[in-house]
Amino acid sequence: MNKTDSIARRILGWKLNRWDRWFDYEKGIFIHDSEFQPEQNLEHALLIVERLENFGFTFSTSGDSEVSFNNIRAKGETLAQAITNAAYSIIEQNSETNTTRIWSTLC
């Protein structure tokens, strides 16, 4: 599972419908892989920010290429890439520590 797939599943709550598309149950729509590119598209990355803020994370930026969600910081070549990297870091950290509290909130 790549970074974008992990974020779609774990943070946004989308379900894999086919090998090339997701289904957003909240909105009742299908999203093709090509229609969700958070590393390249700031609007898509901001969907991640909005979702994490709904889960209680505080988002902040330090310039155009560094962001943080609470105590998790990440950099990227662009703001969109930094957001995506930070979101993926949240997933990685919580997968490694096996924290059920955050996954019960995110999923």
Side-chain angles (χ1 to χ4, degrees):
M1 189 179 322
N2 68 31
K3 191 184 302 187
T4 301
D5 289 340
S6 295
I7 290 168
R9 180 176 291 173
R10 302 275 182 152
I11 293 176
L12 297 176
W14 297 349
K15 304 298 179 199
L16 190 61
N17 177 262
R18 240 176 32 187
W19 64 272
D20 65 341
R21 74 178 181 193
W22 295 92
F23 185 71
D24 181 345
Y25 283 95
E26 290 178 0
K27 295 179 182 171
I29 59 171
F30 292 98
I31 300 104
H32 265 269
D33 284 344
S34 62
E35 296 170 350
F36 182 63
Q37 300 295 320
E39 287 188 287
Q40 290 85 31
N41 186 316
L42 183 57
E43 187 176 318
H44 297 173
L46 291 176
L47 290 173
I48 299 166
V49 172
E50 181 180 333
R51 185 67 164 207
L52 287 172
E53 286 180 332
N54 288 339
F55 292 134
F57 286 88
T58 301
F59 174 72
S60 62
T61 63
S62 299
D64 292 335
S65 61
E66 186 176 349
V67 301
S68 64
F69 289 99
N70 295 354
N71 62 340
I72 297 170
R73 296 180 187 269
K75 292 182 180 183
E77 292 180 21
T78 64
L79 183 57
Q81 190 176 55
I83 291 168
T84 305
N85 290 341
Y88 190 68
S89 291
I90 291 169
I91 292 168
E92 284 185 318
Q93 280 189 356
N94 289 294
S95 291
E96 291 171 6
T97 61
N98 247 347
T99 304
T100 57
R101 181 180 60 83
I102 192 164
W103 290 125
S104 65
T105 304
L106 292 175
C107 296

